[in-house]
């Protein structure tokens, strides 16, 4: 039970730290199987799985995440943000124990589904809890931080796999990296009871007095429930929640009806960047990076793990850069430049593998590094923010849910086909990703309106005035960013409905 023992920056920092650990765990989970699946002890334990079974073991986790995300959308308002995160973490504990103790293929598959369900629940609720506990002028920094921490999870899992591989031929070499997920989960479960519930969720459930205490605690040690600033923040959230109640939640039929608000157009446009993320080929590399180096250019497993880890560290470092330009350059520009750059990298990866000399093999490695960098500068951040910036308030939850669903299902397909495709298609696999990335450029240019520096009301106007799909809204708006004015920022409530804040409510899959 939370008690007001920690306040102000210490309390906000504690919430951010737990959310950060959850984001780090998400990235770790995505990379850990790729770090151990080629180890001799793992392959011996599971009777040397063929390429199809490798794909199933890896990709089934994403179906679990899809199921978990759907469960979260259906139950989060009932369990609360903290309650949902606790449930998700305990489910992951069960999945982690079952994965670590696996001796049969079916146990590994089922345990990865269970782990995925828990992670799917958390990847919906953690960013919502974080967003509703911070003022929205902090959203840009939070988005960059969480994206960077997800990126950091990849090299962490790779280096963990590299370190434990020294225990070969003992099964400890693959069991320990999987078991290490429990370290993050223990921290989350131990600290979570000492942190407050989302004040916005408390208001939504008519627990306004409790929400007022949380607002005061978030403000600082000297703040009381009677302070004007605390009361103003509470009243703004109460008014926002009341507005949502008056508007009501759209039915699924309304979501799939075009109408004057162009709902189905917005759903399809919102799902697009989620799918761009996966069909860029990023997880064809990220999930199986050591295997990619081993099977394509015949590096030994130790060197493949080292290079994969170094690539992951660089990916983490450069993923911070969009913070400095994504609002000024706009979503469209960074998406198109990123997609074009990723396409070029995939072309060069294909060419270098076809040349197949010692020099070309190392150029192939260099373009893998560059691909990850360019991806993190555009496709990665835009894919997680765009849907929530174009959805009208009534259909936003369901519209973003469909986008998240398309992300996980696309992730499953990409990860499932990759092991076999590396063997059967060879370099031709990467030319497929090159063509897909190239196609994102004209699709974005012709059909995607610019959302940067535009409010939800501005985007409603854009969609009302553009009836035939081809957008005329190609440049960022002229509104001042919220971070440009401290006085304006003071008027933004915790978990307010400013368009760029809502990216935080779904920005981690």
């Amino acid at each position: 039970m939370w008690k007001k023992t920690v306040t102000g920056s210490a309390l906000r920092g504690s919430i951010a730290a737990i959310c950060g650990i959850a984001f780090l765990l998400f990235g770790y989970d995505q990379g850990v199987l790729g770090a151990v699946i080629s180890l001799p002890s793992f392959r011996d334990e599971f009777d040397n799985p063929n390429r199809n079974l490798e794909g199933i073991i890896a990709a089934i986790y994403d179906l679990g995440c899809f199921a978990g995300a759907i469960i979260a959308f259906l139950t989060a308002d009932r369990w609360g943000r903290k309650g949902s995160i606790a449930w998700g973490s305990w489910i992951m504990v069960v999945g982690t124990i079952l994965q670590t103790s696996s001796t049969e293929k079916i146990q590994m598959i089922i345990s990865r589904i269970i782990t995925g369900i828990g992670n799917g629940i958390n990847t919906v609720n953690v960013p919502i809890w974080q967003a509703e506990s911070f003022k929205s002028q902090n959203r840009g920094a939070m988005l960059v931080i969480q994206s960077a921490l997800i990126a950091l999870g990849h090299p962490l899992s790779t280096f963990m796999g590299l370190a434990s591989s020294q225990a070969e031929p003992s099964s400890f070499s693959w069991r320990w990296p999987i078991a290490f997920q429990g370290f993050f989960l223990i921290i989350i479960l131990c600290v979570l009871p000492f942190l407050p519930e989302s004040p916005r969720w408390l208001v939504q459930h008519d627990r306004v007095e409790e929400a007022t205490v949380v607002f005061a605690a978030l403000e600082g040690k000297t703040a009381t429930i009677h302070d004007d600033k605390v009361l103003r923040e509470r009243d703004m959230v109460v008014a926002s929640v009341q507005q949502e109640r008056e508007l009501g939640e759209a039915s699924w039929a309304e979501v799939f009806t075009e109408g004057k608000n162009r709902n189905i157009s917005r759903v399809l446009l919102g799902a697009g960047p989620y799918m761009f993320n996966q069909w860029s080929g990023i997880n064809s590399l990220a999930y199986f990076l050591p295997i990619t180096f081993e099977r394509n250019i015949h590096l030994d497993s130790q060197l493949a793990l080292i290079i994969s880890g170094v690539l992951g560290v660089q990916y983490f470092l450069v993923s911070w850069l969009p913070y400095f330009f994504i609002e000024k350059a706009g979503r469209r520009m960074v998406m198109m430049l990123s997609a074009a750059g990723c396409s070029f990298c995939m072309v060069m990866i294909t060419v270098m593998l076809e040349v197949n000399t010692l020099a070309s093999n190392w150029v192939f490695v260099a373009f893998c590094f560059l691909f990850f960098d360019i991806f993190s500068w555009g496709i990665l951040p835009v894919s997680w923010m765009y849907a929530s910036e174009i959805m009208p308030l009534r259909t936003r939850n369901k519209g973003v849910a469909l986008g998240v669903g398309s992300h996980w299902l696309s992730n499953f397909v990409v990860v499932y086909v990759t092991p076999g495709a590396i063997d059967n298609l060879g370099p031709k696999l990467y030319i497929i990703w090159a063509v897909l990335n190239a196609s994102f450029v004209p699709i974005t240019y012709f059909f995607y309106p610019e959302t940067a520096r535009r409010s939800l009301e501005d985007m409603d106007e854009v969609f009302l005035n553009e009836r035939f799909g081809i957008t005329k809204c190609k440049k960022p708006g002229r509104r001042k960013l919220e971070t440009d004015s401290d006085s304006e920022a003071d008027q933004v409530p915790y978990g307010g409905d400013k368009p760029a804040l809502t990216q935080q409510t779904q920005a981690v899959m």
Side-chain angles (χ1 to χ4, degrees), residues 138-182:
N138 305 122
R139 68 186 184 276
M142 288 191 294
L143 176 65
V144 172
I145 290 170
Q146 70 186 40
S147 297
L149 287 171
I150 292 170
L152 180 61
H154 279 276
L156 181 60
S157 65
T158 301
F159 283 125
M160 188 65 69
L162 175 63
S164 65
S165 69
Q166 308 307 309
E168 283 286 349
S170 168
S171 65
F172 177 86
S173 61
W174 67 266
R175 295 187 193 275
W176 169 246
I178 292 175
F180 191 72
Q181 298 171 84

Side-chain angles (χ1 to χ4, degrees), residues 354-377:
E354 290 286 2
V355 173
N356 194 26
T357 65
L358 178 62
S360 69
N361 286 346
W362 286 108
V363 176
F364 158 78
V365 172
F367 274 102
C368 286
F369 274 70
L370 186 60
F371 174 85
F372 274 76
D373 293 347
I374 295 174
F375 174 84
S376 74
W377 295 337

Side-chain angles (χ1 to χ4, degrees), residues 2 4 196-217 224-226 230-231 234-235 238:
W2 174 69
K4 189 180 174 183
E197 179 58 87
S198 154
R200 186 179 182 85
W201 183 86
L202 292 171
V203 170
Q204 287 174 327
H205 289 76
D206 299 318
R207 295 161 61 178
V208 178
E209 291 184 4
E210 292 178 58
T212 308
V213 174
V214 175
F215 283 130
T224 71
I225 60 173
H226 304 293
V230 171
L231 294 176
R234 180 203 65 188
D235 292 344
V238 169

Side-chain angles (χ1 to χ4, degrees), residues 38 50 71 76 87 103 142 195 218 228 261 267 270 355 367 377 385 431 436 455 484 504-505:
S38 64
N50 58 30
I71 291 170
W87 272 108
T103 56
M142 288 191 294
L195 298 176
L218 290 168
D228 289 342
N261 287 327
V267 167
V355 173
F367 274 102
W377 295 337
M385 66 174 64
I431 204 66
L436 287 170
S455 68
D484 290 342
Q504 283 292 328
T505 65

Side-chain angles (χ1 to χ4, degrees), residues 243-260:
Q243 180 187 21
E244 290 180 9
R245 287 175 176 173
E246 291 172 357
L247 287 171
E249 180 79 12
S251 66
W252 284 107
E254 182 178 343
V255 173
F256 288 105
T257 301
E258 184 72 350
K260 67 176 183 178

Side-chain angles (χ1 to χ4, degrees), residues 387-408:
S388 61
E389 293 184 328
I390 65 169
M391 296 292 177
L393 190 60
R394 273 179 58 82
T395 62
R396 188 186 310 159
N397 287 342
K398 288 184 170 66
V400 174
L402 290 170
V404 172
S406 71
H407 169 88
W408 285 120

Side-chain angles (χ1 to χ4, degrees), residues 178-369:
I178 292 175
F180 191 72
Q181 298 171 84
F183 172 75
F184 304 109
L185 293 167
I186 289 171
I187 295 175
I188 292 171
L189 289 169
C190 287
V191 177
L192 197 61
F194 300 99
L195 298 176
E197 179 58 87
S198 154
R200 186 179 182 85
W201 183 86
L202 292 171
V203 170
Q204 287 174 327
H205 289 76
D206 299 318
R207 295 161 61 178
V208 178
E209 291 184 4
E210 292 178 58
T212 308
V213 174
V214 175
F215 283 130
L218 290 168
E219 278 300 321
K221 190 173 183 179
T222 59
T224 71
I225 60 173
H226 304 293
D227 286 358
D228 289 342
K229 193 172 185 180
V230 171
L231 294 176
R232 182 170 65 247
E233 288 158 356
R234 180 203 65 188
D235 292 344
M236 291 175 74
V237 171
V238 169
S240 176
V241 169
Q242 183 59 38
Q243 180 187 21
E244 290 180 9
R245 287 175 176 173
E246 291 172 357
L247 287 171
E249 180 79 12
S251 66
W252 284 107
E254 182 178 343
V255 173
F256 288 105
T257 301
E258 184 72 350
K260 67 176 183 178
N261 287 327
R262 296 184 61 199
N263 290 330
I264 188 62
S265 292
R266 296 201 203 190
V267 167
L268 294 174
L269 287 171
Y274 284 113
M275 299 180 72
F276 293 174
N277 183 312
Q278 291 304 312
W279 294 106
S280 69
I282 183 65
N283 280 327
S284 181
L285 290 173
Y287 266 67
F288 301 104
L289 203 52
I291 288 178
T292 298
F293 293 143
E294 289 179 41
R295 295 179 183 172
N296 280 317
I297 60 176
H298 311 296
L299 296 181
D300 67 74
S301 60
Q302 296 288 298
L303 183 56
L305 284 168
I306 291 171
I307 294 175
S308 299
V310 173
L311 187 154
V313 171
Q314 177 176 297
Y315 182 41
F316 162 68
L317 294 174
V318 302
S319 63
W320 296 81
L321 295 179
Y323 175 74
F324 300 104
F325 58 75
I326 196 166
E327 291 293 342
K328 292 181 180 179
R331 318 295 189 240
R332 286 165 44 88
M333 181 62 69
V334 297
M335 173 66 85
M336 289 188 289
L337 291 177
S338 180
C342 287
S343 179
F344 174 74
C345 289
M346 285 297 186
V347 169
M348 295 305 298
I349 284 171
T350 304
V351 171
M352 293 303 108
L353 289 176
E354 290 286 2
V355 173
N356 194 26
T357 65
L358 178 62
S360 69
N361 286 346
W362 286 108
V363 176
F364 158 78
V365 172
F367 274 102
C368 286
F369 274 70

